[in-house]
Every structure is written in structure tokens, then in C-alpha cells.
Amino acid sequence: MARFYIGRGSVDGQRILTPESVARIERAESNLGATFGFSNAYGLGNTPMADSGITFRGHNGSIDSFTSVLGYTLRNGSGYVLMANGGEGVDFAGPAAHLIQSCQTGVACTFACCRWSPSPHWR
């Protein structure tokens, strides 16, 4: 799915949706602010996630002790999928997604439990 969104509806040379359809999926419409141009709202199961300071888009959710996150950014064409079992009542997906986003973009992680920062040679 991350490659699908990064490819604007195309994966491995196979067009599944038009870029306009992908833009429609991403378009914010779920709250009153969206009607006034604010983009921090769900589209069609897709929302901005600015956890690392660079906006990724995607979807996340959890139920019982299962959690998953799909995130991608067009800024550098990177994405990730995180799925985990266990930890009911503990948010481990948030810090893990933040760390993955930080590693993919070269932005230092700001969570207190994380000490990762990009190398001076990061490209």
C-alpha cells in the first residue's frame, strides 16, 4: 500500500488508480476545518501524520492488543508498515512509527525514550 500511494496509484508499472483518484483519497473531508481548507483531517481512510516533523500520510489503528500503522511520504519516496501484537493499553506503535519516520527522513527523533539522531553524513 505504501508503494501504491508513493506511486500515485501505480505499483511495479501497473496502474491501479489514476493520480487524481489517489489525490481524492488523500483529500481531507472529515471535519468542519476541512471545509475551510485545513488539511489535518481524514480523507478516505488516509490522514496526515506529522509525528517526526515531516508529514507522512497513511492510516493507523488498534483494537484489543493489535496495532498497525501504514505511513508514507512523497518528500523522499519512503514508506513503512508496522504491525504488532501485545501491549494492550500501551502506545508502542506511536513511538515506533516516529522512530521509523525519523530514520527514513534523517530528522532526529524527539521522543524521550529515543536517543537516535542522524549521522552528520546523512543524505
Side-chain angles (χ1 to χ4, degrees):
M1 285 299 293
R3 290 176 56 217
F4 165 82
Y5 284 116
I6 292 166
R8 310 315 289 155
S10 180
V11 177
D12 295 334
Q14 297 294 314
R15 170 95 18 227
I16 299 166
L17 290 178
T18 65
E20 294 80 19
S21 293
V22 174
R24 169 62 186 93
I25 291 169
E26 294 174 339
R27 188 172 63 232
E29 295 185 339
S30 67
N31 63 29
L32 184 59
T35 62
F36 293 102
F38 293 97
S39 62
N40 195 17
Y42 265 99
L44 297 174
N46 188 296
T47 190
M49 302 181 292
D51 297 338
S52 65
I54 292 174
T55 300
F56 277 67
R57 293 196 64 87
H59 186 88
N60 60 23
S62 61
I63 187 169
D64 298 327
S65 62
F66 312 105
T67 188
S68 63
V69 182
L70 160 71
Y72 65 94
T73 182
L74 299 178
R75 179 175 176 164
N76 67 0
S78 64
Y80 64 94
V81 175
L82 169 66
M83 294 181 274
N85 296 332
E88 186 170 355
V90 177
D91 177 21
F92 57 87
H98 182 81
L99 180 59
I100 292 167
Q101 291 177 13
S102 296
C103 288
Q104 287 184 333
T105 58
V107 173
C109 185
T110 58
F111 271 81
C113 63
C114 180
R115 299 289 179 248
W116 183 87
S117 62
S119 143
H121 306 291
W122 184 267
R123 296 176 202 258

